Amino acid sequence: MLFSPQSITFAVLLIPGYQWLDIVGPIAYINTHSHAVMQMPVVPESIRAKAPVINWHYISSEGNLNPVSASAGPPHIPTANFTSCPPIDYLLVPGANSSRQISDELSSFIHDRFPTLKGVLTVCTGSVVFAQTGLLDGVHVASNKVALKYMAEMGRLDRKVKWVGDKRFVRDGKIWSAAGITSGLDLAAEFARVHFDPELVDLARNLTEYDSNPAQPDPFAPILDGVVLD
Ligand SMILES: *[C@@H]1O[C@H](CO)[C@@H](O)[C@H](O)[C@H]1NC(C)=O
Ligand SMILES: *[C@@H]1O[C@H](CO)[C@@H](O)[C@H](O)[C@H]1NC(C)=O
Ligand SMILES: *[C@@H]1O[C@H](CO)[C@@H](O)[C@H](O)[C@H]1NC(C)=O
């Protein structure tokens, strides 16, 4: 499914205390393929013509427009709430304190939007947060391995989800999930590879000077040695 030169709309869920890098990497990497970024004079017109318009909306998990602080960096001001958020194609969910129950309002928003979403991208414990909606039941999903190990040991692992412990990212149907923090960048690269024109993807690779890692081999898989995930 190549998007170019169509438009794609993403919403990013800002959860208090979320890991900043979980969304900075994927947003910046995916947006490098956008028509807006490809306006740079160095870009040949033939490639620019294949770049999709990418729209970004930022929604607070609290449903209001109050600034949300991440693990680091400046507070982020949401651009839409649950009702004002326009139709979206993809939802990006960063890792955050997964012990915190998500609100009924957030759960309703996600359930309302899910049927029309083309996909959900989770990074790190974003999958553990998202699993609270029940929408990951029976789905193969990656997550932060240190967190998975801890939750398994504490008896807090949601075993309805098919956790994958030996991949940097996993795609199962509509769910695109990354393992710990930096693997979000590799998930974003996989998303770009699947959806965007190959020449555009190659130029973005040159611009970012980033060679993404494959899903496997996963050098961090040994973190979960001996841990039963199912
Ligand atoms: C969401 O935003 C809309 C438009 O700005 C506003 O009318 C509505 O009251 C807001 N809803 C909540 C729950 O804040
Ligand atoms: C995470 O949330 C839980 C439940 O609300 C809370 O007890 C805990 O202190 C939080 N942890 C951090 C690091 O904020
Ligand atoms: C990216 O850089 C390589 C050189 O490493 C070059 O061969 C290739 O044409 C470049 N790709 C684009 C789309 O400019």
Side-chain angles (χ1 to χ4, degrees), residues 63-64 81 83-84:
N64 55 40
N81 65 26
T83 44
S84 66

Side-chain angles (χ1 to χ4, degrees), residues 97-101:
N97 182 348
S98 51
S99 310
R100 263 182 65 168
Q101 260 328 103

